[in-house]
Amino acid sequence: MTANIIYERIKEQADKQNLSLRQLSIKSGFKSPSAISRYKQGVTPTDTAVKAIAGALGVSVDYLLGNTDEMHSNKKDDKKVADLKEIMKEFEIVQFDGKTIPEEDLPVIERIIKGLIDDQY
């Protein structure tokens, strides 16, 4: 990874999104608004910084690093599968949006989901 490749890709994407490097630094959560400009002088960004910039620009880290010309990773291949019924059995406490679902409500939720699934077939 060279700082020049990273800088060029960051600059190119920022320009496409009408963002100055200063604005992008702020959007990426950096304390210094001139953080990204230092990459032009050869300062190598940390992994955390590259991830933050990639997130702010909506591109993959691999794209910024020059590992690929694809701006977006193929998330379809990375899908994880979780069976809600198994999760409800495995965990003593189940939450939604940070709030605990009362244990007596779990069978009701299960019946609702079964009804939704049965209606589809």
Side-chain angles (χ1 to χ4, degrees):
M1 141 175 99
T2 68
N4 289 337
I5 291 173
I6 296 170
Y7 176 80
E8 291 303 322
R9 293 210 169 182
I10 291 170
K11 178 79 171 115
E12 177 185 336
Q13 290 306 308
D15 288 346
K16 284 182 181 179
Q17 297 180 31
N18 295 319
L19 287 172
S20 70
L21 294 181
R22 183 178 189 83
Q23 291 169 318
L24 180 58
S25 290
I26 293 167
K27 186 175 178 181
S28 299
F30 299 146
K31 292 178 184 174
S32 169
S34 62
I36 295 173
S37 298
R38 288 184 287 211
Y39 306 152
K40 186 175 184 178
Q41 290 121 17
V43 174
T44 302
T46 64
D47 292 344
T48 304
V50 174
K51 287 178 187 175
I53 296 166
L57 289 172
V59 299
S60 72
V61 169
D62 279 334
Y63 174 77
L64 290 183
L65 295 177
N67 296 335
T68 181
D69 288 333
E70 296 291 323
M71 283 193 282
H72 309 286
S73 64
N74 188 356
K75 295 288 185 190
K76 293 177 187 171
D77 296 339
D78 298 339
K79 287 185 180 178
K80 295 179 181 179
V81 177
D83 188 310
L84 186 56
K85 189 172 185 175
E86 293 302 316
I87 291 171
M88 289 167 56
K89 284 182 189 175
E90 181 179 345
F91 294 94
E92 294 175 25
I93 298 173
V94 180
Q95 294 184 332
F96 181 80
D97 200 23
K99 296 180 179 111
T100 300
I101 300 171
E103 193 171 338
E104 61 271 12
D105 290 350
L106 294 177
V108 175
I109 294 169
E110 186 175 345
R111 285 195 307 272
I112 291 169
I113 293 171
K114 281 182 180 177
L116 292 171
I117 293 171
D118 290 343
D119 287 347
Q120 292 178 358
Y121 298 102

